[in-house]
Amino acid sequence: NINESLVDSVQNVQPSWQTLGTTNSVETNQNVSPVEPVPIIQPKTEISNPVGSNTNVSSVNSVQNVQPKSQPTGTNNQVGTNINSINLSSQNNSGSNENNDDLLKAFIGNNYEKITTRPFNFAGFFFSTFYMCYRKMFLSAIIVFLLQFLVLNVTHIFWISILFNIVVGLLINKIYVSYAKKKVSKIKAQNVGKNITELQYICSNKGGTSGGMLFLGILTQVIITVIILFIMSIYGLASIFEKAKVKVESTLNGTYEGMISANTSIDMKKEFSITVPDYFENDSDTYKYEYEHESGNGVFDSCEVTFLSPEGFSDAKDFIEQMHRYHSDSTLSDVSKTNINQMDFYGFSLDGVGGETYYYATTKKNKVYLLEFDVNEDAPSSCENDRQQILNSIKKK
């Protein structure tokens, strides 16, 4: 129908371009193919004469208007689609980090801000492996517990235990955040088709805290302790720990600077027994005995024995060698080792202005015990025999 109207339009328009009134030209042009006139059609302004029907003109105009609309419309749709795709991709990429933060927050739960921003965790300091179990880091808690058990049984030193807990308090937040990020990544990989809300729900269930895990952690640690102690009792591992403990604590020996402070927390009479001659007088609750002898003219010469534990020392050999170096400007004997009643004593003698002093030190349970025997210059000769008798009578309880 459109082609027929176009032919009719051309037939009606043609006379306006020819000499009006010549009908033969119009008739001749009637045989023109309906396809050829289409390119000759001009804009509406040239077909403004009332020659032909308005319907045909509008049909031509509609043909002119159809083609331009179809092409731009398709082009605009394609460009718009591409732009929307780019914007959507950009939004997804920009929101990826925010989604990860939301999932991490859902996993950690309570105290998210404190755990991710503060450098020290007081709960980790005070409760150590129990706090790790409470945060569902069960395997990490068992590893730290075994390490702590080993350290404490080797050293038996209180401040090392405090130091260990300080390290846990400093590192626990970083360890937990790293643990949480790995868990979140695993959850995302296993739930690719789920949206952010569903992932948050899963992270919340997998993470957070658990009283049940805390109870299980305490029970597990008690069982492990019992098993280790049982194995140690069977295979004699306690002696191995004891030797390792002595070796470690010997490196923690104090420094001798000419003064000795006694460890008053130790009851010497519960640690050792000593036989002292009756004429020695005991002037304290510890092993400190003095024998005075009147040499004439109101002068009393004496010999005195003191047995105590120096504060802050754990290795007898190192302690005696420090004393020997400190008094190197005096007349000294060499450091010697003597075994008395299955105890190794290290000692030397110092010849001073007012007389002679003998030092003997031994180690028991990572503590140094020192026997000091002072002999005045004019003391009776019996003091020498008393020194040997007292030294050989020492026995540990």
Side-chain angles (χ1 to χ4, degrees), residues 268-274 307 340-345 362-365 369 393-397:
M268 294 294 296
K269 293 184 178 181
K270 291 183 178 180
E271 300 293 332
F272 298 90
S273 63
I274 291 182
F307 196 27
I340 301 172
N341 296 324
Q342 299 181 350
M343 294 180 292
D344 289 332
F345 280 84
T362 189
T363 304
K364 179 185 178 185
K365 295 181 180 178
Y369 296 88
S393 70
I394 297 176
K395 295 180 181 179
K396 61 183 177 180
K397 293 183 178 179

Side-chain angles (χ1 to χ4, degrees), residues 106-123:
F107 187 92
I108 293 177
N110 296 335
N111 298 323
Y112 168 79
E113 294 295 335
K114 294 181 180 180
I115 291 175
T116 55
T117 59
R118 294 187 179 182
F120 191 83
N121 190 315
F122 284 96

Side-chain angles (χ1 to χ4, degrees), residues 99 102-103 106 194-204:
N99 291 343
D102 291 339
L103 295 179
K194 298 187 183 302
N195 58 35
I196 183 65
T197 303
E198 293 172 323
L199 290 175
Q200 284 179 314
Y201 179 77
I202 297 173
C203 288
S204 179

Side-chain angles (χ1 to χ4, degrees), residues 153 229 231-233 235-245:
N153 278 275
L229 294 178
I231 294 175
M232 288 172 59
S233 64
Y235 294 98
L237 295 179
S239 61
I240 297 176
F241 278 107
E242 184 70 22
K243 292 179 181 178
K245 177 182 66 176

Side-chain angles (χ1 to χ4, degrees), residues 30-176:
Q30 288 177 355
N31 297 325
V32 177
S33 174
V35 178
E36 294 180 357
V38 175
I40 304 174
I41 297 174
Q42 300 298 324
K44 297 192 288 188
T45 56
E46 294 184 13
I47 314 177
S48 59
N49 292 329
V51 181
S53 64
N54 291 334
T55 304
N56 295 334
V57 174
S58 62
S59 300
V60 174
N61 290 337
S62 64
V63 172
Q64 291 176 343
N65 293 331
V66 169
Q67 186 64 25
K69 285 184 179 179
S70 61
Q71 292 177 352
T73 301
T75 305
N76 290 336
N77 289 339
Q78 184 176 3
V79 173
T81 303
N82 292 337
I83 291 174
N84 291 333
S85 299
I86 294 172
N87 291 337
L88 181 60
S89 176
S90 176
Q91 291 176 359
N92 289 338
N93 290 335
S94 63
S96 178
N97 291 333
E98 295 180 1
N99 291 343
N100 288 336
D101 291 340
D102 291 339
L103 295 179
L104 183 64
K105 185 174 182 179
F107 187 92
I108 293 177
N110 296 335
N111 298 323
Y112 168 79
E113 294 295 335
K114 294 181 180 180
I115 291 175
T116 55
T117 59
R118 294 187 179 182
F120 191 83
N121 190 315
F122 284 96
F125 168 74
F126 287 109
F127 302 106
S128 187
T129 57
F130 296 151
Y131 175 77
M132 298 176 75
C133 290
Y134 183 63
R135 278 288 172 182
K136 300 183 180 180
M137 293 192 294
F138 189 80
L139 181 60
S140 298
I142 297 302
I143 294 174
V144 172
F145 169 74
L146 292 174
L147 180 62
Q148 188 177 30
F149 183 90
L150 178 64
V151 171
L152 296 182
N153 278 275
V154 168
T155 60
H156 283 283
I157 299 177
F158 177 74
W159 66 264
I160 289 184
S161 176
I162 298 298
L163 180 62
F164 187 92
N165 282 12
I166 291 175
V167 172
V168 173
L170 287 171
L171 297 180
I172 188 64
N173 283 346
K174 294 180 180 179
I175 294 174
Y176 181 60

Side-chain angles (χ1 to χ4, degrees), residues 15 34 69 88 104 126 131 154 156 159 198 206 213 225 246 248 278 286 316-317 332 353 373 397:
K69 285 184 179 179
L88 181 60
L104 183 64
F126 287 109
Y131 175 77
V154 168
H156 283 283
W159 66 264
E198 293 172 323
K206 294 290 185 180
M213 290 295 291
T225 302
V246 171
V248 169
D278 295 337
T286 61
K317 181 180 179 181
L332 305 173
V353 176
F373 196 91
K397 293 183 178 179

